[in-house]
Amino acid sequence: MRKLVYYVAVTLDGRIAGPGGEYDFFPQGDEAQAAAYSAWTSTLYPETVPTALRAAFGVTDAPNRHFDTVLMGLGTYRPALDAGITSPYAHLRQYVVSSTLQADIDPAVTVVPGDPLALVRELKREEGSTLGIWLCGGGKLAGALLSEIDELVIKSYPVVAGDGIPAFDGAFDPTVFDVAERTAFPNGVTLTRLTRRAS
């Protein structure tokens, strides 16, 4: 079965964005540190670089390494939409979970107005692909899909937001993950990959 992987940047207090969806406060370090970190992450996860930025990040023709599908809530999709971009990850199959977004927003985007759990279970059962499904946000969707998340890839930034959108916003449901690998960067960011502990 394909895996659902939540790959996301998180503050020290567990926020993936500010209360208004802000994310420009995540510290990047100095110019050299930011460049090294960006090069490392975009090389390892090239498919997570938005299509419009792939040339600037040097991954225009990079093949997808981990994911061929992206799943997001409306809050995560909104910044691209506000910038006039209706297909932010044209190199992936795109699903947006929303009960208010128009279904024909873009031919390359599938709007899912209903149950995201049913969608994820269907995507996981698909045959013919060894690549996973990237859950890129937001917190409410991650909370709703916690039972189906197989891996977490957490980019932990050395900043406290104080308020904002939590990484998981759902019912109380303690779920244990094991650390599979961890990499620390000179700019203070720690990238940790965790796998769901078998029950």
Side-chain angles (χ1 to χ4, degrees), residues 69-151:
T69 304
V70 61
L71 177 63
M72 67 192 98
L74 180 58
T76 301
Y77 183 57
R78 177 67 62 193
L81 205 55
D82 289 347
I85 300 169
T86 56
S87 179
Y89 297 99
H91 51 283
L92 298 171
R93 285 195 304 162
Q94 303 167 90
Y95 293 86
V96 179
V97 177
S98 171
S99 60
T100 59
L101 192 65
Q102 61 211 55
D104 60 350
I105 190 75
D106 188 287
V109 173
T110 301
V111 177
V112 182
D115 181 10
L117 277 171
L119 169 67
V120 166
R121 288 170 181 154
E122 180 183 332
L123 291 173
K124 282 185 165 190
R125 287 192 300 269
E126 287 180 336
E127 296 181 1
S129 176
T130 58
L131 298 178
I133 306 150
W134 171 32
L135 171 59
C136 74
K140 286 183 181 177
L141 184 57
L145 294 175
L146 178 56
S147 64
E148 290 295 328
I149 295 175
D150 301 293
E151 290 189 6

Side-chain angles (χ1 to χ4, degrees), residues 138-194:
K140 286 183 181 177
L141 184 57
L145 294 175
L146 178 56
S147 64
E148 290 295 328
I149 295 175
D150 301 293
E151 290 189 6
L152 303 170
V153 180
I154 304 295
K155 298 177 288 182
S156 179
Y157 284 76
V159 62
V160 173
D163 191 10
I165 300 168
F168 290 89
D169 187 2
F172 181 72
D173 184 14
T175 305
V176 179
F177 287 80
D178 294 317
V179 174
E181 57 185 298
R182 180 171 284 146
T183 305
F185 298 89
N187 64 352
V189 179
T190 302
L191 188 143
T192 306
R193 186 173 67 85
L194 306 102

